[in-house]
Amino acid sequence: MKILFISQLLLALSSSVAAIAPVSYDGYKVARVKTQGRLASVQEQLAFLSYDEWERSKSSHIDIALHPDQLNAFNELGLEYSTMHEDLGASIAAEFDASSHRKRQVSNGSWFDSYHSYDEHKQYWRDLRAAFPDNSEPVSSGTSYEGRDIFGLHLWGADGPGKPVVLWHSTVHAREWIATMVVEYLTLQLIQGYGVDNLTTSFLDKYDFYIFPFVNPDGFVYTQTTDRLWRKNRQPGPNNSTCYGRDINRNWIYEWDGNALGASDDPCSETYHGQGPADSPEAKGLVDLVAKLRDTNGIKLYIDWHSYAQLIEFPFGYNCTRFPEEAGKFTSAAVMTSDAIYEVEGTVFIFGQACSALYPTEGGGRDHTFVIGEAEWSYTIELRDRGAFGFVLPPEQIIGSAREQWAGQRVLLSLLDEDFFDGEGPA
């Protein structure tokens, strides 16, 4: 009987291991297929293939990842394309090889030479807090589906906290590793520049910063243990669905069901918006946080950091013909921010109303925080790149991505209290 029990236990353990075996992308090809304004037609041709869509543009392209057994059929379509990754598995392996377990010190800039594990990131944020003890406190927007703390830092300057809020968060979509690194760099610049650089000091003296590096910690951990390209959270689907995850950035309350093209009702879809508004704990926590900040300090600026596309987007995402009254100043500020980004390494960021610049999205954080949260400014920033590497951005590009965004933020933060189009000042 004991032998039978042990055999059953070993079988169960082996089944469990098989269930969580890492997804292999060896031999996968990632291609940018040119659409030349015929996106629907190209999608019809691709419909006979099995592929993962990474990103698309209405006018120019669709980026897809193809299993090795789909490559011959893809080539037979005769579509015009460029290769982003000839062997995605090799690119991912190189990304992991560059990871370091020794570069955690806040004072050590080599932290930004490589990507890092979730536990290393958690310690790094504890170190950031320790480096600014009198002007910071740990904060949380709640817990994830799997029980991880959605942690962050609250920073302030002279005269203590209580000023209008700048709210930054990242890693809503788990595979967008560069977003975490950029937000860490921005936070580090605020901390190290306070009392040293006059402009940085003025930002913290005028605004409270609430910064959350991991909105989707469960998904991020899953990208490091099981599937590098996982996007959603890890919440089970409804009605005994075998598919997991909600797209947190389709799960906010405002216009949750506002555009059928902006999300999916299918639990297996990458853009599944859930059974109802804010039915993911991650989105619910942020919705509650935004309401609290609105009713106390007020929200001056909200930015949701993503990758990839090199875009600065303002509301609205759910309706391509609806523009906010503030579209003029949102555009003008985005122009100046984009110019500052370009000056660092020549990286071009375009800008515009989110729906028309990219594609429809409903139930998004940017629109919710602008309307329900009454944020004065609200953006999504899609980081590097524009299709050379996509989500698997080489670690060599981390520091350049971070530096150019700090240059952009120095401009944007300087504009928040400007009167636009009055013939005076920079705006």
Side-chain angles (χ1 to χ4, degrees), residues 264-285:
S264 175
D265 293 326
D266 179 2
C268 298
S269 168
E270 294 277 43
T271 59
Y272 176 54
H273 63 175
Q275 289 185 287
D279 73 341
S280 69
E282 297 88 353
K284 178 63 165 59

Side-chain angles (χ1 to χ4, degrees), residues 146-331:
E146 293 181 346
R148 293 181 175 89
D149 182 30
I150 302 174
F151 64 87
L153 274 181
H154 171 203
L155 311 178
W156 61 84
D159 301 323
K163 302 178 182 70
V165 168
V166 172
L167 173 59
W168 291 336
H169 67 65
S170 63
T171 330
V172 171
H173 295 145
R175 60 194 176 187
E176 298 168 8
W177 288 7
I178 186 60
T180 316
M181 301 299 296
V182 165
V183 166
E184 285 177 340
Y185 185 85
L186 300 179
T187 307
L188 178 64
Q189 299 314 301
L190 289 171
I191 289 172
Q192 291 188 331
Y194 187 73
V196 177
D197 173 70
N198 288 339
L199 187 59
T200 303
T201 301
S202 72
F203 298 153
L204 282 161
D205 285 346
K206 286 194 290 186
Y207 311 117
D208 283 22
F209 285 76
Y210 283 76
I211 308 169
F212 296 85
F214 290 102
V215 170
N216 184 6
D218 300 346
F220 180 79
V221 169
Y222 196 73
T223 65
Q224 297 203 320
T225 62
T226 308
D227 184 351
R228 172 62 184 87
L229 296 177
W230 186 259
R231 169 184 168 96
K232 301 183 286 183
N233 77 351
R234 292 296 299 161
Q235 191 171 349
N239 304 319
N240 299 315
S241 171
T242 58
C243 295
Y244 277 72
R246 273 106 165 120
D247 182 342
I248 299 168
N249 201 37
R250 305 293 189 279
N251 194 233
W252 292 62
I253 293 172
Y254 182 71
E255 295 293 344
W256 171 80
D257 205 17
N259 186 332
L261 300 176
S264 175
D265 293 326
D266 179 2
C268 298
S269 168
E270 294 277 43
T271 59
Y272 176 54
H273 63 175
Q275 289 185 287
D279 73 341
S280 69
E282 297 88 353
K284 178 63 165 59
L286 285 174
V287 164
D288 291 345
L289 174 71
V290 164
K292 178 182 177 181
L293 295 175
R294 175 199 63 201
D295 295 340
T296 52
N297 301 32
I299 301 172
K300 176 64 72 169
L301 169 67
Y302 167 88
I303 300 180
D304 181 9
W305 300 86
H306 286 262
S307 74
Y308 61 97
Q310 292 173 202
L311 281 172
I312 304 171
E313 305 167 281
F314 57 80
F316 290 95
Y318 79 95
N319 186 332
C320 291
T321 62
R322 185 184 175 195
F323 286 71
E325 293 181 6
E326 298 87 348
K329 77 172 188 177
F330 287 174
T331 301

Side-chain angles (χ1 to χ4, degrees), residues 11-176:
L11 179 62
L13 287 172
S14 66
S15 298
S16 175
V17 170
I20 60 172
V23 175
S24 172
Y25 288 98
D26 291 347
Y28 273 67
K29 186 187 192 80
V30 183
R32 166 158 288 194
V33 181
K34 297 182 180 180
T35 59
Q36 298 174 334
R38 300 180 295 106
L39 177 61
S41 174
V42 171
Q43 286 176 316
E44 286 181 11
Q45 292 177 270
L46 292 171
F48 297 98
L49 303 177
S50 175
Y51 66 89
D52 294 325
E53 180 182 316
W54 277 24
E55 195 263 345
R56 68 183 185 273
S57 162
K58 296 174 184 177
S59 61
S60 62
H61 67 269
I62 179 171
D63 298 344
I64 60 174
L66 294 150
H67 188 279
D69 67 13
Q70 300 292 298
L71 295 180
N72 287 338
F74 171 68
N75 289 327
E76 288 172 1
L77 293 176
L79 296 169
E80 187 178 357
Y81 72 91
S82 59
T83 299
M84 297 168 61
H85 296 276
E86 187 64 49
D87 183 346
L88 179 58
S91 298
I92 291 172
E95 184 184 46
F96 274 97
D97 286 346
S99 295
S100 167
H101 300 279
R102 300 181 301 276
K103 303 172 181 175
R104 199 183 62 217
Q105 294 81 6
V106 166
S107 59
N108 188 342
S110 60
W111 172 263
F112 299 99
D113 291 344
S114 61
Y115 296 104
H116 302 276
S117 72
Y118 179 66
D119 285 339
E120 286 181 302
H121 281 294
K122 286 199 299 182
Q123 182 59 52
Y124 189 78
W125 283 82
R126 287 192 284 266
D127 294 344
L128 286 171
R129 159 82 173 105
F132 205 48
D134 297 329
N135 296 76
S136 69
E137 64 178 353
V139 289
S140 173
S141 67
T143 55
S144 67
Y145 180 80
E146 293 181 346
R148 293 181 175 89
D149 182 30
I150 302 174
F151 64 87
L153 274 181
H154 171 203
L155 311 178
W156 61 84
D159 301 323
K163 302 178 182 70
V165 168
V166 172
L167 173 59
W168 291 336
H169 67 65
S170 63
T171 330
V172 171
H173 295 145
R175 60 194 176 187
E176 298 168 8

